[in-house]
Amino acid sequence: MIFLQGMVQNPVLVAAVMGWFVAQLIKMIIHFMITKELVWERMIGSGGMPSSHSSTVCALTTATGICYGSKGFEFAMSIIMAIIVMHDAMGVRRETGIQARVLNEMMSLFREMGTKMSVEDKLKEFVGHTPLQVWIGALLGIIVGLITCQLMVSGYSIF
């Protein structure tokens, strides 16, 4: 019980979780506004606007900087991890999504031509992010990290 209490009172952990949650909630709302369909998978799925990867690591880094300062190893580790995660989201993961879209289109064409395909499911296309999605997610994470730390330092409990 003490372990769980420590977790919910840890501003760095709470900021990171809130960064992820807020980004995923916004992502689901945006998807609903565009498609008029409530797709709960968007609450946990990857890809889309804003990047929850960026929001999570930037909230974590912001809270780490506030709690431990910029000189410590904690901040150095979190900022390097944030850079790697955001670069990966825009690079390899984005390219994977583009390749999945092309392969899905090819499979559809082959099926229309009467070719029997052994693959049952479409490949997942929402796996990466555009640079704009990453930067919006980063900004969101910084804001969430600042607000979360301010609330927790002021004595408010998020949970």
Side-chain angles (χ1 to χ4, degrees), residues 29-46:
I29 291 168
I30 289 172
H31 189 270
F32 175 76
M33 290 171 58
I34 292 171
T35 65
K36 305 295 185 231
E37 294 178 25
L38 189 60
V39 179
W40 288 101
E41 188 275 334
R42 297 309 304 143
M43 193 61 198
I44 58 169
S46 57

Side-chain angles (χ1 to χ4, degrees), residues 88-105:
D88 184 61
M90 286 188 294
V92 175
R93 291 171 45 87
R94 183 167 181 235
E95 290 298 322
T96 301
I98 292 168
Q99 290 174 359
R101 188 174 325 122
V102 169
L103 289 172
N104 286 336
E105 289 172 8

Side-chain angles (χ1 to χ4, degrees), residues 12 39 43 62 65 74 78 94 102 109 112 114 119 122 131 135 140 143 146 157:
V12 175
V39 179
M43 193 61 198
T62 301
E74 299 93 345
S78 65
R94 183 167 181 235
V102 169
L109 285 171
E112 287 173 13
V119 178
K122 288 180 67 174
W135 289 113
L140 176 64
I143 292 167
L146 289 169
S157 177

Side-chain angles (χ1 to χ4, degrees), residues 5 26 41 43 65 77 98 105 109 115 117 126-127 134 144:
Q5 185 179 13
I26 291 170
E41 188 275 334
M43 193 61 198
M77 288 177 58
I98 292 168
E105 289 172 8
L109 285 171
T115 306
M117 301 294 293
F126 284 119
V127 292
V134 168
V144 168

Side-chain angles (χ1 to χ4, degrees), residues 46-58:
S46 57
M49 172 69 90
S51 166
S52 58
H53 292 86
S54 296
S55 183
T56 303
V57 295
C58 285

